């Protein structure tokens, strides 16, 4: 068994992901052959050897400190406000491109580069404006600068918090219009009030530190934040429902993912304390903006302070922007002199390192693995990621994921079985559903360590032929509670296990129950009393809504005792259908899991 930092399954001579080995020369790209089951491609990037200095196109303003770093290694072309046509014309002469959020780096840009473009650097965190799939297909590495903006974003969150509480923006506009309305703009104090920080990552934890200094009681919700890190700064981790129900102020710091899209909506606003105040310096899409307007009008939300919007810039005559009790700023979270310089240095270092052929911890694509390993491990890569996704969805809210154990059953000798790619994909499955980070072989260990996630690995040696690399993969998450009690093993960990059958990943074990269901579409797990008619009952409920069942498997401890039914579905059932399944008398618990 080995820790994340020193995995024993690796050949001691193989490079650590935390080191920066030089890559071989000559630009090359390699990917899995496409299949109808799985279209994700894994690219290998190497640097090209050239006697001439590379050319870096800087398409949006970068601070002088970053430009100086670039000029020491490359020829730098600063051309701002390029039209899409001008960018496509210039790009064929460039080895690297640096942008902020205003330049769209789409497929046409990569096609116009003629294969010369090797690196795209995004000076900031989000990469919504870069077509990642096109970058990968054209052999281009994409890097970002995720850390330099942290303090600036946290400070802006605190600035909006205080300005909102004391009506600073509204009072300023009032006095400039010739009025003197002291009674109208009486504010509220921050001391002794409860602040709920939703998303306890780098920015969220910095906001919490500063709020504690203002005398606020701080709680936080983040199912993947380590409890000891929260306790170290005097913050209590709670469930999402408890956070929104008890908070006087709510500060949002989660990424925009399918799971967080419109997380604050009519349903969640209804659960909040009347008169709650909300700050958002994260992503606009985490709030249903129309629902927020209704909550403001109904008095559920007393005030809101927003730096981000679902559409930027927002419509100037929109109800939300014009609402008297809403304070707005034009996405200024990272807009300090110091943050801009930090971002410039961080992205310049990442781009120069990538052009030199060094592995980049901030790379968001391009795992680097020998082609023969990629080909052999392809179905197991998909299995590993999906087991990670399943396991983390079984964790109950408020439980911080800190310890993950992965067991590989194989007949291969340790020096003939490199687990880096599989470990990276398990990490990807655990982290990506709740993070804006793109996890791959390059940044998996780095990303896990940043989030306090420790992954240990063990190899279960099997007798037999080592022709197949793996018999099964088992993922266990320790020291957490589960949404589905039957997923807990005899020793108290969430446990899922799977194997590859005919090239298709299958779930073969949940907790102590043996099942057999293809990991395609989504899965419903039900614990039930083992009795006749259960398969028909649940199948009928799904059939009435035209939800197609792809696989169904039942694992039981003994006849007429308890059993776990695993149902593969092609579509997501409605809340009403899931509720009806839960109301079946013989079903004791169930959970719906997205893959």
């Amino acid at each position: 068994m080995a820790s994340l930092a020193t995995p024993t399954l690796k050949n001691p001579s193989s490079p650590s992901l935390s080191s920066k080995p030089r890559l071989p020369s000559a630009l090359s790209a390699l990917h899995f052959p496409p299949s109808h089951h799985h279209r994700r491609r894994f690219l290998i990037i190497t640097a090209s050897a050239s006697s001439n200095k590379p050319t870096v196109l800087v398409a949006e303003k970068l601070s002088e400190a970053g430009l100086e770093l670039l000029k020491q290694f490359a020829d730098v072309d600063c051309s701002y406000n390029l039209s899409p046509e001008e960018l496509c014309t210039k790009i064929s002469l460039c080895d690297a491109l640096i942008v902020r959020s205003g330049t769209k780096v789409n497929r046409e840009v990569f096609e116009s580069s003629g294969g010369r473009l090797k690196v795209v650097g995004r000076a900031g965190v989000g990469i919504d404006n870069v077509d990642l799939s096109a970058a990968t297909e054209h052999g281009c590495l994409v890097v970002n600068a995720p850390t330099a903006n942290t303090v600036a974003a946290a400070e802006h969150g605190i600035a909006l918090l205080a300005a909102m509480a004391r009506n600073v923006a509204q009072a300023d506009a009032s006095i400039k219009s010739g009025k003197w309305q002291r009674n109208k703009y009486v504010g509220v104090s921050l001391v002794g009030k409860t602040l709920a920080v939703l998303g306890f990552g780098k920015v969220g934890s910095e906001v919490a530190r500063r709020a504690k200094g203002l005398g606020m009681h701080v709680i936080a919700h983040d199912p993947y934040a380590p409890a000891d890190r929260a306790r170290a700064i005097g913050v209590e981790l709670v469930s999402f429902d408890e956070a929104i129900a008890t908070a006087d102020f709510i500060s949002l710091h989660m990424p925009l993912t399918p799971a967080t899209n419109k997380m604050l909506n009519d349903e969640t606003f209804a659960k909040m304390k009347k008169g709650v105040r909300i700050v958002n310096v994260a992503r606009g899409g985490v709030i249903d903006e129309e629902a927020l307007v209704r909550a403001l009008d109904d008095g559920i939300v007393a005030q809101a302070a927003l730096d981000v919007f679902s559409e930027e810039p927002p419509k100037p005559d929109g109800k939300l922007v014009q609402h008297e009790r809403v304070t707005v700023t034009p996405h200024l979270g990272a807009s300090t002199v110091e943050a801009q310089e930090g971002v410039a240095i961080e992205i310049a270092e990442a781009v120069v390192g990538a052009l030199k052929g060094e592995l980049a911890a901030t790379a968001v694509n391009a795992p680097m693995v020998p082609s023969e390993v990629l080909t052999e491990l392809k179905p197991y890569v998909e299995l590993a990621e999906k087991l990670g996704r399943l396991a983390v969805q079984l964790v109950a809210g408020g439980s911080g994921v800190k310890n993950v154990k992965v067991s590989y059953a194989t007949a291969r000798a340790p020096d003939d079985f490199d687990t880096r790619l599989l470990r990276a994909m398990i990490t990807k499955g655990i982290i990506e559903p709740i993070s804006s980070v793109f996890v791959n072989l390059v940044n998996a260990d780095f990303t896990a360590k940043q989030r306090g996630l420790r992954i240990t690995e063990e190899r279960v040696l099997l007798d037999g032929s080592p022709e197949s690399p793996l018999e099964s993969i088992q993922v266990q998450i320790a020291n957490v509670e589960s949404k589905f009690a039957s997923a807990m093993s005899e020793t108290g960990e969430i446990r899922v296990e799977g194997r590859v059958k005919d090239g298709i990943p299958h779930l073969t074990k949940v907790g102590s129950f043996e099942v057999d269901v293809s990991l395609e579409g989504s899965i419903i797990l039900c614990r039930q009393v083992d009795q006749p008619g259960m398969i028909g009952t649940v199948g009928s409920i799904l059939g009435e809504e035209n939800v197609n069942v792809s696989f169904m498997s039942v694992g039981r401890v003994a006849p007429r005792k308890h059993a776990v039914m695993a149902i593969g579905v092609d579509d997501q059932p409605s809340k009403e259908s899931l509720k009806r399944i839960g109301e079946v008398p013989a079903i004791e618990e169930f959970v719906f899991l997205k893959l």
Side-chain angles (χ1 to χ4, degrees), residues 162-235:
M164 173 180 63
R166 299 304 298 270
N167 300 300
V168 171
Q170 292 85 348
D172 174 74
S174 173
I175 200 168
K176 286 178 177 175
S177 68
K179 300 174 183 176
W180 188 261
Q181 299 174 297
R182 295 181 65 193
N183 293 333
K184 181 175 181 180
Y185 296 116
V186 174
V188 295
S189 179
L190 300 179
V191 172
K193 299 294 170 55
T194 296
L195 170 67
V197 176
L198 302 185
F200 200 66
K202 291 190 286 291
V203 177
S205 58
E206 290 299 325
V207 167
R209 291 178 195 276
R210 288 156 176 76
K212 292 285 290 183
L214 294 172
M216 301 187 79
H217 170 59
V218 182
I219 60 177
H221 170 72
D222 188 326
Y224 309 99
D228 55 353
R229 181 161 64 87
R231 283 194 299 268
I233 57 176
V235 174

Side-chain angles (χ1 to χ4, degrees), residues 258-269:
T260 63
N261 186 42
K262 295 187 177 179
M263 177 178 276
L264 296 196
N265 50 45
D266 288 314
E267 184 179 347
T268 49
F269 285 131

